[in-house]
Amino acid sequence: MLIVILAVGGVLLYQRLDEPDSAPPATKPSTADAVEFRRVLKSEQGQCPSPPSDTVVCDANGFRYTVGRVELNGAHVTEVKAAQNEGDPTWHVMLNLNSEGAEAFTRLTTDLAKKQPPLNQIAIVVGDQVVAAPTVQSAIPGGKVQISSNYTKKTAEELARRITG
């Protein structure tokens, strides 16, 4: 909390040191390699390899994903935020991509939309873990990506936080 007190002939500033400054949440990935977008080639229940593999990653629920090469990464993401459509109780995560990322994502989603599960999924990989693997239902042009599920405000904010690193 910052308090400004005007005094005759000067200004005194007072900041309470017992209140930590709350930093706003990050709005984009911290580094290019903080997040990767990869095609899902196969998904199944199972154990993750130890040590981690470059082509097999798991999620927190015990699903194991065999994934393709990195198609986009954090360098292509300009903004990540939890959002809610007006009048809709569910939340989602919005990603905005730069022009290069938008073009790559359009090509990727155009191809994936023609495929059957799990080949129509994109694994969003943070560290050595899949944090989401949404299904692509149609091409997504324009660089505005919405990740939807039965997210609450808390779970959407958590996914956005994880994606931003």
Side-chain angles (χ1 to χ4, degrees):
M1 171 180 4
L2 183 63
I3 300 173
V4 177
I5 302 173
L6 295 176
V8 176
V11 176
L12 298 173
L13 297 176
Y14 174 77
Q15 182 174 9
R16 290 188 54 179
L17 298 176
D18 60 339
E19 289 185 20
D21 292 334
S22 59
T27 58
K28 63 182 187 177
S30 55
T31 62
D33 61 355
V35 61
E36 300 173 340
F37 298 82
R38 298 169 162 230
R39 293 172 188 259
V40 172
L41 305 174
K42 182 179 179 184
S43 69
E44 61 191 345
Q45 284 286 137
Q47 298 236 340
C48 267
S50 183
S53 163
D54 187 44
T55 58
V56 178
V57 288
C58 292
D59 67 10
N61 299 318
F63 269 89
R64 188 167 108 160
Y65 297 87
T66 302
V67 295
R69 68 179 175 83
V70 176
E71 305 262 353
L72 290 99
N73 65 26
H76 298 106
V77 180
T78 61
E79 183 180 33
V80 180
K81 65 181 178 182
Q84 183 181 35
N85 292 330
E86 193 173 316
D88 186 349
T90 61
W91 285 72
H92 55 270
V93 175
M94 289 296 302
L95 295 142
N96 290 322
L97 306 174
N98 63 20
S99 59
E100 181 184 349
E103 289 177 27
F105 203 74
T106 298
R107 285 191 304 273
L108 174 62
T109 57
T110 298
D111 183 53
L112 293 180
K114 300 172 190 170
K115 301 183 185 282
Q116 296 297 312
L119 299 177
N120 64 346
Q121 289 179 269
I122 297 174
I124 302 172
V125 181
V126 175
D128 293 328
Q129 189 175 54
V130 174
V131 296
T135 299
V136 176
Q137 298 170 347
S138 63
I140 303 170
K144 300 207 179 292
V145 181
Q146 180 175 313
I147 304 169
S148 300
S149 188
N150 289 323
Y151 296 125
T152 62
K153 179 179 181 183
K154 182 179 178 180
T155 58
E157 287 174 344
E158 174 63 18
L159 178 56
R161 186 193 61 74
R162 291 193 68 193
I163 291 171
T164 59

